[in-house]
Amino acid sequence: MLYGDQTRIADFLTRQMTEPVKWAQIMQDLHKHGAELAVEYGPKSVLRNLATKNVPVPRAFSFDEQADRRKLEKEFPTVVEMCIKIAICTKNRNADEVTYQQGFVRTYQSLLELQRKLEESRRRPSREERQQAIQFLKVMFAAKQASAG
């Protein structure tokens, strides 16, 4: 149990509500331990502003602000982009050129086409498109005869 003894929960909750938050110390500790990104999910951007004021956090975002959400999306590749990278980096163990062409090359071209359409429409992939990209990756793994371990 996080609080240890069950009888201490009320005591801890009271302290959390009545004692001051040591924000600067918390942010410095996070920075010291390697935190490089801060994302605020509450309303407005007060915590984002406090984060950047207290430590040199190079990337701090407020999810409530549309401009920050757009910047945050650029921080992380989409599932489709990751599938493209993984497909390219996976070693080919398949010596059969015909099987490789049918299983990998054609599927990879379909994955690239999906990415092109996403870029053209300037949107992130839908759930179905993410699932499709993962299915493409599975087909490409099989075509490259990639082992699971």
Side-chain angles (χ1 to χ4, degrees):
M1 178 179 237
L2 178 66
Y3 292 104
D5 185 356
Q6 200 173 0
T7 59
R8 299 184 65 204
I9 293 175
D11 190 35
F12 279 118
L13 290 174
T14 302
R15 287 180 55 208
Q16 287 176 354
M17 292 172 51
T18 59
E19 292 182 8
V21 175
K22 298 176 182 175
W23 182 259
Q25 180 183 343
I26 291 168
M27 294 309 297
Q28 289 166 3
D29 287 348
L30 287 170
H31 179 68
K32 183 174 76 176
H33 292 294
E36 298 175 356
L37 177 71
V39 180
E40 176 180 10
Y41 284 96
K44 307 280 186 215
S45 56
V46 174
L47 298 178
R48 177 201 63 194
N49 296 340
L50 284 172
T52 56
K53 193 176 204 178
N54 286 286
V55 293
V57 177
R59 298 181 325 267
F61 304 93
S62 175
F63 203 73
D64 194 43
E65 303 214 5
Q66 189 173 16
D68 276 10
R69 280 196 308 273
R70 282 194 205 107
K71 290 177 192 172
L72 190 57
E73 285 178 349
K74 292 178 183 175
E75 286 283 322
F76 301 98
T78 67
V79 170
V80 176
E81 291 166 332
M82 288 304 297
C83 286
I84 290 169
K85 292 174 184 180
I86 293 167
I88 290 298
C89 293
T90 302
K91 184 175 182 172
N92 180 28
R93 298 182 187 326
N94 187 350
D96 182 352
E97 184 65 27
V98 173
T99 306
Y100 180 79
Q101 285 291 326
Q102 290 174 344
F104 181 81
V105 175
R106 289 183 182 161
T107 308
Y108 182 71
Q109 289 170 343
S110 297
L111 185 59
L112 290 177
E113 179 62 18
L114 173 60
Q115 178 61 23
R116 186 194 64 73
K117 287 178 182 176
L118 291 168
E119 289 172 0
E120 189 177 89
S121 62
R122 294 183 180 176
R123 63 180 181 81
R124 309 267 297 172
S126 67
R127 184 172 195 264
E128 292 78 22
E129 289 165 330
R130 292 190 303 265
Q131 290 173 333
Q132 183 181 26
I134 291 168
Q135 188 58 42
F136 284 157
L137 187 59
K138 288 178 182 179
V139 170
M140 290 184 286
F141 280 162
K144 284 188 166 189
Q145 296 178 351
S147 62

